[in-house]
């Protein structure tokens, strides 16, 4: 084995250990915030951050923290925070392969965003809902959601978001047409 590969192995191991140690410190810090936060918003943010941290390693814990965040937001009547938590729950459900649950969570969020007349939220939920339908093989429903997201985004003044959202929506639409043949 060449010397540069031999030296690379300990460096990679050290990098993984360092990243893991940083995550542990961040987890401990966020759990402390959850216990000691003086405001509901700070506690909510820590719960959502914990859900995001666990998202790539432990879906069950990620979902548990998202549910705790949702319950807190619901109890304190923090509607936007509740919708953020529902979205995170939907993202975890998709990652777990529970597309039906994800679709239900995204659909419920979509209805709330529509009541709030929150165009950005409506666009995001249509895109997320489209992804759920796509994974369930309900391509026509997925296209309907993606076209709604596209139409709303084109009509909006969310200039910076357009640069990210529209290419994603176009790609999602193209993927469905490719799948359908």
């Amino acid at each position: 084995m060449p010397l540069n590969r031999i030296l690379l192995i300990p460096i990679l191991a050290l990098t993984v250990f360092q990243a893991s140690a940083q995550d542990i410190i961040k987890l401990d810090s966020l759990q402390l915030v959850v216990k000691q936060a003086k405001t509901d918003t700070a506690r909510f943010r820590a719960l959502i951050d914990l859900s995001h941290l666990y998202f790539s390693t432990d879906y069950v814990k990620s979902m548990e923290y998202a549910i705790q965040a949702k319950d807190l937001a619901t109890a304190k009547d923090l509607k936007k925070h509740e919708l953020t938590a529902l979205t995170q729950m939907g993202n975890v459900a998709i990652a777990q392969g529970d597309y039906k649950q994800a679709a239900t969570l995204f659909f419920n969020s979509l209805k709330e965003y529509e009541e709030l007349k929150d165009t950005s939220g409506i666009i995001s939920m249509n895109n997320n809902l489209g992804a759920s339908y796509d994974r369930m093989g309900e391509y026509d429903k997925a296209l309907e959601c993606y076209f709604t997201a596209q139409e709303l985004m084109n009509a909006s003044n969310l200039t910076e978001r357009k640069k990210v959202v529209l290419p994603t929506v176009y790609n999602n639409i193209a993927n469905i047409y490719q799948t359908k043949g």
Side-chain angles (χ1 to χ4, degrees):
M1 185 180 296
L3 182 60
N4 61 349
R5 286 194 179 164
I6 293 172
L7 292 174
L8 185 60
I9 293 171
I11 291 171
L12 287 174
L14 184 60
T15 303
V16 170
F17 174 75
Q18 183 179 5
S20 177
Q22 288 173 345
D23 285 348
I24 290 170
I25 291 169
K26 193 167 187 177
L27 287 171
D28 289 344
S29 174
L30 288 169
Q31 288 167 342
L32 189 61
V33 171
V34 169
K35 291 177 186 172
Q36 298 179 352
K38 295 192 185 328
T39 67
D40 296 325
T41 302
R43 185 174 293 109
F44 172 85
R45 189 74 254 155
L47 289 166
I48 286 295
D49 287 348
L50 283 164
S51 179
H52 285 289
L53 271 175
Y54 277 112
F55 185 79
S56 60
T57 59
D58 188 337
Y59 294 139
V60 172
K61 281 189 179 180
S62 181
M63 184 64 86
E64 287 172 1
Y65 282 116
I67 290 169
Q68 287 179 41
K70 182 207 160 283
D71 291 345
L72 173 64
T74 301
K76 301 298 180 177
D77 198 30
L78 303 169
K79 185 52 78 180
K80 288 273 192 165
H81 289 4
E82 182 180 349
L83 294 171
T84 297
L86 283 170
T87 301
Q88 178 63 9
M89 290 167 63
N91 290 335
V92 175
I94 276 197
Q96 289 177 307
D98 192 346
Y99 308 128
K100 190 171 185 169
Q101 180 188 15
T104 299
L105 290 163
F106 293 142
F107 182 80
N108 292 339
S109 294
L110 173 62
K111 293 303 162 201
E112 294 290 334
Y113 279 118
E114 288 173 344
E115 280 184 29
L116 295 171
K117 297 180 179 21
D118 181 329
T119 303
S120 182
I122 294 167
I123 292 167
S124 293
M125 288 310 103
N126 270 290
N127 195 45
N128 291 349
L129 191 54
S132 299
Y133 288 140
D134 181 6
R135 293 203 175 87
M136 289 189 289
E138 297 181 33
Y139 301 122
D140 291 335
K141 284 184 177 181
L143 284 172
E144 186 179 320
C145 292
Y146 290 144
F147 285 134
T148 299
Q150 175 191 6
E151 181 181 312
L152 290 171
M153 183 52 77
N154 282 328
S156 77
N157 61 356
L158 303 168
T159 309
E160 286 303 310
R161 280 202 67 205
K162 282 183 185 181
K163 294 176 186 176
V164 175
V165 174
L166 280 177
T168 301
V169 171
Y170 293 146
N171 186 62
N172 292 342
I173 292 168
N175 287 339
I176 289 178
Y177 282 125
Q178 182 179 16
T179 300
K180 286 178 76 169

